[in-house]
Amino acid sequence: MIFKKFTLFLLLVTTWLSFASCSLFSTNREGGERKSIYDLLTIDKRFTKFLQHIEDTGAVDEFKSIKKGTVFAPVNEAFDSEKLIMYRNLEKEQVLYHLIPVSIKSGELYDGELLETEAKLHNITQMLKVKNSFKGDISVGTDSGQEESHVIEADMDASNGVIHLVGKVLSLPNYVDETLGSVEETRNYLDLAKKANIDQDLRQGKAITVFVSKDDFFGDDFDSVQKKYLLGSGEGKKDLARYLNHQIATGIHYAGSFKEGKTVVKTVEKSEDLEVEAKYNKLLPSTLTVNGVKVIHSDILSANGVIHVLESPLLPKNKEFVKLTARKVLSGMNATRFIELFDQNGLGDYLDEQDEPRTILAPPNDSLDEKTLTFKKSVKDLLKYHIIHGRFDKPDLQDNSLLETESHSDLGDAYQRIDVHTKDNIQFGKSSVIGDPVKVGDHLVIYPVANSLILPENALETLPTNLDLSTFVAGLYASDAKRDIRDAKGITIYAPNNEAFQRLGLLAKYLLKPDSSKDLKSVVTYHAIRGVFYKDTTDDGEQRHTTLSNGAEITLNKTGNGIFVRGSGAADGDDRTTIGKVIKTDVLASNGVIHTIDRVQVPNTLRVTNRDLLSTGNTNSLVKLLERAGLSDKVLDGLDKDSPYTVLAPNDRAFGKVNLGDLLEDREKLIRLARSHILPVSLPRLDSGEISSNYFHYNIFGQKKYDNDDREDPKDIPYLGVDIPTLNKDEYIVFSKNVAGGYTVRIKGTLQDYAQVVDLGQSSAKGGVIEMDNVLLPKKESDKQGLSWWAVALIVIGSLIGVVLAALGIYAGWRYYQSRRDGRISLDTPR
């Protein structure tokens, strides 16, 4: 039953379609002949309103006289939303805009095809652009942001052509300026044209072609400051107009009008032509480039021209086309006051000459600190401090680097540096960069900075700002060396930190005594060398340099591990107990640069004896002992570096704990005691570094004595101890490093308590003084003095254990005796 109903339905539909096709055929034909386009428009009721406009505008003759043509005929519904045409003289052209003087079937219409219409404006034939999707949807229009007209029924055949029914009345193209404003990709160009006052030229120009870059008109070749200049007034506006006119070609050049290969077209600006290259490919889409820039959207139609959109800005080949100078860029940065100051101080050539690579740091008018510039002793020096030698673009800047400026009044032949930081935001000195840098030609780049720069202060004023250098600064003032530092030009200071002075121990105490100011001056000025040596300008390897300390020389050594400073007193090139390492670099000063080191260096001109070192502490008892023993001349006052002596100096409190009565009455014993505290060697390396655990001892001449003389020197006192000879024959002092820190000293082979090292200091003879908290007694005297507390403790503990064991033995014997007396016997188990 259902099948019969469905069959009946199909029969009815087929019959209706047959009648409809016959009716249409009879409409297109009369007496077996096809009707013309105009006849079909007259007969078909769907075109009554369009026909009325044809008649009202006087376009009947054009439609009747068609020999071969195509009409995009709007149906009646298309006129319901159409606005009234404002100007009568355009009405006919708008009607004719629907008429193409060739016959084109829908199958022949391809996407992007341009159709020449019968409409003309200002003697320019108006074109129509076709859009044909992959689905076969066809629309026509201007591709300029105006609503397209879709073909709702195609290919109504006529004797002299074809009619395509469209759902919207076609609007004539707008003028170029209006078209630019209606297309999102080109709107930016119109805004710039208005600023340059050429928007009216775009409207009134006849037959022009505009090449517009998508979105950003300037691209990466123009930064914000350059844009500000071009968008400004005066000369900037003129350069902008020239630049925009370079994108406008004379004549209308549609994409398909260019022949295969390269074509040169003239521009409105006239100074430079454009080179258009067209490539046609049967398999791939055609490509069109202008000066090498690809066209990504072609043939946006306008009443007086055509617009093509490029994928990137179309820049002139001539880099001098819009020649930016330093002055132009600074004006764009609103740094006109900066320009005035350069001119007023005779420095205008720095802004005009662009042959030397330079980087300019420019504060804008509202950030320029006029007081800073006014009250400085030299405005010129400060202005020059804003000019850096060499052109440094963003990628060239390295964090914590120093750049050479043009300022150098207090540096001799050297030039002042400015520090650069790039971690979060680029910062020159203390002034942050507030915008993108601007490149001017091949040699100049200008950075806008937040504030005017500040020149570094004199070294004498800079040093106190670092509290970790307070001892060094105090030494400068206490020794009256401040003038030497303040007045020196072009110096490098290697300033020891406070910890470095603490490491000097007794020597630091001696130098800081009021009556040692001359020696103190020689030490502090020894850390200032003539010449400016930044971290990156210090040569690799060892080099000797003259210091401010009466011309004494100091050694610098730049290695892969850092920069090291060595004065007098180091055992060798690896003696880090004495050699200083640069731990902080490049603190700028107006007359040089300051580095921080971790060891105080001593010049070889310094004359400090062991007596000088002993005078700083409570060691009077030892001094008297050595004098009575006749050892003061060589040991206390000697300065022979070939015969150094190290004095083990128990403090007065330590002597108070020892009964010296018998020793003082016996000169031989007194001398032996004194000689036990004298080591005929250089000051041992008492330091905190981990070192080799080789066990060795010295012979009487202060040289190492090994079974194998090729062993390397240990760099410190090991935990297992080091044997060092005293002046007594066959007597050795054992130095040991404590696990918890510090050092202990004892005479080898005695049971006496250890002495703890309290302080030490090195003399100019490379010997020195080691202050201790206990007196070291020779072996025989130590035995007479009795056992040490720990030996006594061991004896007492051993005795107690013996008594306990004896008591246990007696008790066990008594129990055995009692058992036998009571007749108790043990019963063995029979086997």
Side-chain angles (χ1 to χ4, degrees), residues 795-810:
I795 294 173
V796 171
I797 293 173
S799 299
L800 290 175
I801 293 174
V803 170
V804 171
L805 293 175
L808 290 174
I810 294 172

Side-chain angles (χ1 to χ4, degrees), residues 460 463-466 469-478 496 498 501 524:
L460 191 65
L463 285 165
T465 61
N466 186 350
L469 302 179
S470 58
T471 306
F472 180 70
V473 174
L476 291 176
Y477 281 88
N498 293 340
F501 278 95
V524 294

Side-chain angles (χ1 to χ4, degrees), residues 361-548:
L361 309 177
N365 295 341
D366 54 354
S367 300
L368 188 65
D369 190 349
E370 295 268 2
K371 293 181 179 179
T372 301
L373 295 171
T374 304
F375 293 104
K376 289 292 177 182
K377 67 177 182 179
S378 175
V379 177
K380 284 188 177 181
D381 288 336
L382 184 53
L383 290 173
K384 288 181 179 180
Y385 195 51
H386 291 74
I387 299 176
I388 297 173
H389 292 164
R391 168 175 161 166
F392 290 90
D393 298 325
K394 275 186 176 182
D396 302 325
L397 297 175
Q398 297 181 3
D399 193 38
N400 294 321
S401 61
L402 294 178
L403 302 182
E404 188 177 82
T405 72
E406 187 65 20
S407 179
H408 66 103
S409 63
D410 290 335
L411 293 173
D413 295 332
Y415 287 89
Q416 187 56 263
R417 300 291 187 101
I418 187 168
D419 53 326
V420 181
H421 302 282
T422 62
K423 188 174 182 180
D424 297 320
N425 181 36
I426 298 177
Q427 186 173 329
F428 293 94
K430 296 182 179 179
S431 187
S432 298
V433 173
I434 56 175
D436 293 328
V438 179
K439 302 172 186 177
V440 181
D442 296 329
H443 298 101
L444 181 64
V445 62
I446 303 176
Y447 286 83
V449 293
N451 306 100
S452 52
L453 303 177
I454 300 176
L455 274 169
E457 300 287 349
N458 186 274
L460 191 65
E461 298 169 329
T462 303
L463 285 165
T465 61
N466 186 350
L467 297 180
D468 199 30
L469 302 179
S470 58
T471 306
F472 180 70
V473 174
L476 291 176
Y477 281 88
S479 64
D480 199 28
K482 57 182 182 294
R483 288 185 181 178
D484 300 68
I485 301 298
R486 182 191 62 199
D487 297 339
K489 293 188 177 182
I491 60 173
T492 301
I493 299 176
Y494 295 91
N497 58 15
N498 293 340
E499 184 179 351
F501 278 95
Q502 291 176 2
R503 297 179 67 90
L504 281 183
L506 299 175
L507 179 57
K509 293 179 181 178
Y510 165 74
L511 292 173
L512 294 175
K513 291 175 60 178
D515 56 352
S516 303
S517 60
K518 185 176 180 180
D519 288 334
L520 177 60
K521 182 176 181 179
S522 70
V523 171
V524 294
T525 54
Y526 188 60
H527 293 80
I529 69 175
R530 300 185 185 281
V532 182
F533 299 94
Y534 303 99
K535 178 183 176 181
D536 61 347
T537 62
T538 303
D539 294 332
D540 292 335
E542 283 197 2
Q543 59 238 245
R544 299 281 291 175
H545 294 284
T546 304
T547 70
L548 298 186

